[in-house]
Amino acid sequence: MSNPSYARVIIDRSIHRELDYLVPEMLAEKIGIGSRVRVPFREKSALATVVSLLDETDATGIRPIEAVVGDKPVLSLKLIELSRWMSAYYCCPIETVMRSLLPQVIRRAEVGWKKQLVVSAAKPITPEELEKLRRRAPRQAELMDAVVKLNGPIPAAQLLRQTSLDNQTLRAVEKRGWITLNEEAVARDPHADEVFIASANLVLNSEQTAALKVVEESLAAPEQAKPILLHGVTGSGKTEIYLQAIHSTLARGRTAIVLVPEISLTPQTVERFKSRFSEAQDTVAVLHSHLSEGERHDEWHKIHAGRARIVVGARSAVFAPLENLGLIVVDEEHETSYKQEEAPRYHARDVAVVRAKMEGAVVLLGTATPSLESYHNAMQQKYRLLNLTERVDNCQMPLIRIVDLRLERRKQKVAAILSEKLRAAITSRLEKREQTILFLNRRGFSTSLLCSNCGEARDCPNCSVALTFHRGAARLSCHLCGHTAAVPKKCPACSQDTLIYAGFGTEKVEANVNQIFPDAVVRRMDADSMTRKDSYRETLHAFRTGKIDILVGTQMIAKGLHFPNVTLVGIINADLALHMPDFRAGERTFQLLTQVAGRAGRGETPGEVFVQTYTPFSPSIQFARHHDFAGYFQQELEFRERCEFPPLNHVVLITVRSAHEGRAQLSAETIARRLKEALPAEFILSSPTPAPLEKLQGQFRFHILMRGAAIMRLSRLVRATLDKLPLPEDVFAAVDVDAYQLL
Ligand SMILES: [Zn+2]
Ligand SMILES: [Zn+2]
């Protein structure tokens, strides 16, 4: 059979179309579907990915491929298929999708393996020779003393470090022929210095056993299996089910991906996977955003070459180039961080479900608080629902108490940060030497600086939000764009000495707690206090070993952490998430309360949770208090039905932005008019409105919201409408399918 003569490629740049090129005979052997190639494009050359091979083409003016990048195709046929699906579903050019699929270091193939010099013994040295050497060149003899004791090759740097000798000595010994020096590729393993102690399977309780049985049945017949939603209360041992399911997957000769929210991808999490599968060093690869380019290169190739068989990672690990994929686990499937907020605006959980289907793999979604979307799918029998209602080791669910801040305010005359009840609870924990977590989803000291004379607030010049005061840094800062400003002494508007600080964040909670409990050890954990690479790990370690009494923090402390000695959790203000202008506000509040409350009582002593709120009767708070997910789901679903929101419909949000307010508004109105002509009546189109966050990073923003059930059709119509509409140069329109960020 002759080699195919043409290749169809997708160029890395946004041109919205695929192009055909001639495959030169001398490259034919090396080019396959998924290969990276360099092709002539317009006057220059460009990088591209081969998506199909053709015997003939109708295209004219065909030019030959210039070169192949890398040794092997980097994308499988399945992953190319997945890109096409994402492009259509998320209304996004395929070249943008491809950019997400392949890390930049792989696309460009500029970073290679790290090379190191390795020493191996060459010819044996006789005792006589060694004695002679000792007299004439004592340092070389010292080196040879170390070499004869070696069991095998050793990195030169390590040998020199051990012997305190230098490179010159090494080269001299090499010249005499006793050793050889070779350059070898080494993996940059970010976990190389850690020792993982092998762990064995834990004994499952009856609920876990039943759940694992269903997962294993699915693994045996993945083609017929539905996605599985594992709804297990906090502390019910979901991770153990993942681990044993992965074990079965590997035993079937297949591979597995575990997605974890970036914030939960802690050393503790990685360790659980690495130690369970420690039989071969490379079995587990870890992908997250803090890897260096070199580490990312190495982890990616470890997966691509088939050495790693389990990939643990954040959002983009859903694209890990594993062959023979058998299982995708999505832990904390309700987490909104699975949604990427820049193009392609995909949701990793939904992509996981689609990829699993394409690859004939099983997908396992786990959570203590299912998203409305996933739970609705389970109720519709599209997903298989498995329940874990008990905590492992018979730990009890924490007791949740609601503190009505309205009453508290009347009692204390001021808006106190800690209610009397919470204060008393902390005191008793300090006496018993138990630990407390205080949660507030807002960092900084004061959330705004107001003038009591003229009412003027210090807003960010680029965004329509107030600047937050950070006492540690002694500056005002914008949490959206990072703008900072000095703290004025007088009101810049009326020049009076009447500035007051209002609202509070974690920094003030910490200060307040320190003041009330001067003898307690208090630490804060948020984006401001965790700036060094190791500070997160250090603080967690200090907390775990009991060196901290009270930990104050943002969502950084809400997720998946397990501390047996924490018996009290205080939620400083439960209303923060509730009053966001977002139809998911209630859902987020329920999830957050349940997750944070879940940090209490993971040991032998039952936990207690205090929820401080001005709206004690809000359904999200009441259902969370009673650990009643089913009740909460029914009530929330009715609300979503009434307003025709997800999960009953898909939403598509177009954000039109420009530094010029009038042009942004005009463009939004034009787009909405064209959409109105293009969309059939089954789709709901809202009029363009200023976004709740009207100005962000100096850009004025307008929203157009669409809703409908047939999402593929809606996406296609939106794409077609926008493609036909030239926007002014300084106006941008972003399409977000299944939007989560509605601000
Ligand atoms: Zn003023
Ligand atoms: Zn700003």
Side-chain angles (χ1 to χ4, degrees), residues 433-558:
R433 304 223 36 86
E434 292 171 3
Q435 291 171 299
T436 299
I437 285 179
L438 296 177
F439 173 83
L440 181 67
N441 208 2
R442 194 162 61 185
R443 57 200 175 85
F445 195 82
S446 300
T447 45
S448 53
L449 184 57
L450 301 165
C451 173
S452 60
N453 182 43
C454 70
E456 204 55 24
R458 304 306 302 150
D459 284 343
C460 173
N462 312 318
C463 313
S464 45
V465 294
L467 294 172
T468 300
F469 172 59
H470 290 256
R471 198 170 68 170
R475 286 187 75 81
L476 299 171
S477 104
C478 171
H479 287 180
L480 295 176
C481 73
H483 170 87
T484 71
V487 185
K489 292 213 167 55
K490 289 179 176 170
C491 172
C494 68
S495 306
Q496 296 297 303
D497 197 6
T498 43
L499 292 174
I500 49 167
Y501 292 97
F504 60 86
T506 42
E507 204 183 354
K508 190 161 183 177
V509 175
E510 183 194 18
N512 192 246
V513 171
N514 266 321
Q515 203 178 13
I516 301 173
F517 305 104
D519 297 331
V521 182
V522 184
R523 285 281 178 286
R524 175 163 54 94
M525 201 157 168
D526 58 24
D528 300 317
S529 66
M530 297 290 122
T531 46
R532 282 187 308 114
K533 200 181 168 193
D534 295 330
S535 41
Y536 183 74
R537 194 191 292 225
E538 281 164 17
T539 307
L540 284 186
H541 184 258
F543 194 55
R544 186 167 299 117
T545 50
K547 296 197 178 79
I548 297 171
D549 299 312
I550 303 170
L551 187 64
V552 178
T554 54
Q555 53 267 62
M556 234 180 229
I557 59 172

Side-chain angles (χ1 to χ4, degrees), residues 118-419:
V118 174
V119 182
S120 11
K123 63 174 188 203
I125 185 167
T126 63
E128 295 77 37
E129 280 173 323
L130 192 57
E131 271 319 302
K132 211 165 125 197
L133 192 62
R134 212 179 291 285
R135 285 192 304 273
R136 289 194 4 229
R139 274 194 257 169
Q140 293 179 28
E142 206 182 313
L143 188 83
M144 284 313 295
D145 283 337
V147 169
V148 293
K149 286 187 205 129
L150 291 179
N151 296 321
I154 181 175
Q158 193 185 332
L159 182 65
L160 295 181
R161 207 164 43 236
Q162 278 172 11
T163 54
S164 306
L165 294 165
D166 58 13
N167 216 14
Q168 215 181 334
T169 315
L170 190 72
R171 292 289 174 187
V173 174
E174 185 201 15
K175 223 176 236 168
R176 289 172 188 264
W178 285 312
I179 60 167
T180 50
L181 296 174
N182 296 306
E183 283 228 308
E184 282 180 17
V186 281
R188 285 158 279 223
D189 181 354
H191 300 280
D193 296 339
E194 294 161 44
V195 180
F196 296 99
I197 300 157
S199 72
N201 284 359
L202 302 179
V203 178
L204 303 181
N205 64 25
S206 59
E207 277 186 339
Q208 287 173 307
T209 308
L212 182 63
K213 188 161 166 274
V214 174
V215 178
E216 291 193 328
E217 282 163 8
S218 297
L219 287 170
E223 308 293 341
Q224 290 97 51
K226 291 176 185 173
I228 300 168
L229 176 61
L230 178 63
H231 176 204
V233 298
T234 53
S236 59
K238 293 183 285 292
T239 309
E240 187 58 31
I241 293 180
Y242 306 156
L243 288 165
Q244 298 196 20
I246 293 167
H247 211 274
S248 305
T249 307
L250 298 193
R252 291 178 179 279
R254 305 190 74 172
T255 59
I257 295 175
V258 183
L259 298 183
V260 178
E262 180 90 45
I263 202 168
S264 313
L265 198 55
T266 58
Q268 205 184 355
T269 312
V270 171
E271 192 187 318
R272 277 193 87 174
F273 288 90
K274 287 230 173 195
S275 57
R276 185 65 62 89
F277 301 99
S278 60
E279 65 276 359
Q281 203 205 336
D282 280 348
T283 310
V284 180
V286 182
L287 294 174
H288 58 75
S289 63
H290 298 301
L291 295 180
S292 69
E293 288 288 88
E295 286 167 350
R296 193 181 311 281
H297 165 275
D298 293 0
E299 292 294 284
W300 193 91
H301 278 288
K302 209 159 95 181
I303 302 163
H304 189 240
R307 290 207 306 283
R309 301 180 63 208
I310 304 166
V311 176
V312 180
R315 187 169 60 218
S316 64
V318 72
F319 306 123
L322 284 166
E323 290 288 330
N324 217 352
L325 187 61
L327 176 70
I328 308 180
V329 173
V330 184
D331 190 26
E332 312 277 356
E333 67 84 24
H334 64 278
E335 263 293 316
T336 49
S337 65
Y338 281 128
K339 172 81 173 171
Q340 176 151 298
E341 292 299 344
E342 61 202 59
R345 295 179 172 77
Y346 69 93
H347 195 300
R349 173 200 61 215
D350 300 340
V351 173
V353 171
V354 173
R355 182 169 182 197
K357 192 163 181 223
M358 287 175 174
E359 306 244 12
V362 172
V363 65
L364 175 58
L365 315 175
T367 173
T369 50
S371 62
L372 266 265
E373 284 82 356
S374 295
Y375 205 75
H376 187 246
N377 277 329
M379 294 295 105
Q380 302 285 305
Q381 314 296 325
K382 286 185 194 151
Y383 291 0
R384 174 95 189 248
L385 180 64
L386 303 176
N387 288 302
L388 302 177
T389 59
E390 291 161 16
R391 286 185 152 189
V392 290
D393 301 332
N394 298 319
C395 286
Q396 292 188 353
M397 291 303 284
L399 184 65
I400 302 186
R401 302 179 190 279
I402 309 288
V403 180
D404 187 340
L405 287 177
R406 297 169 305 176
L407 299 176
E408 199 68 24
R409 190 170 192 151
R410 260 171 252 158
K411 239 184 335 194
Q412 299 198 28
K413 303 286 184 252
V414 287
I417 293 175
L418 301 182
S419 60

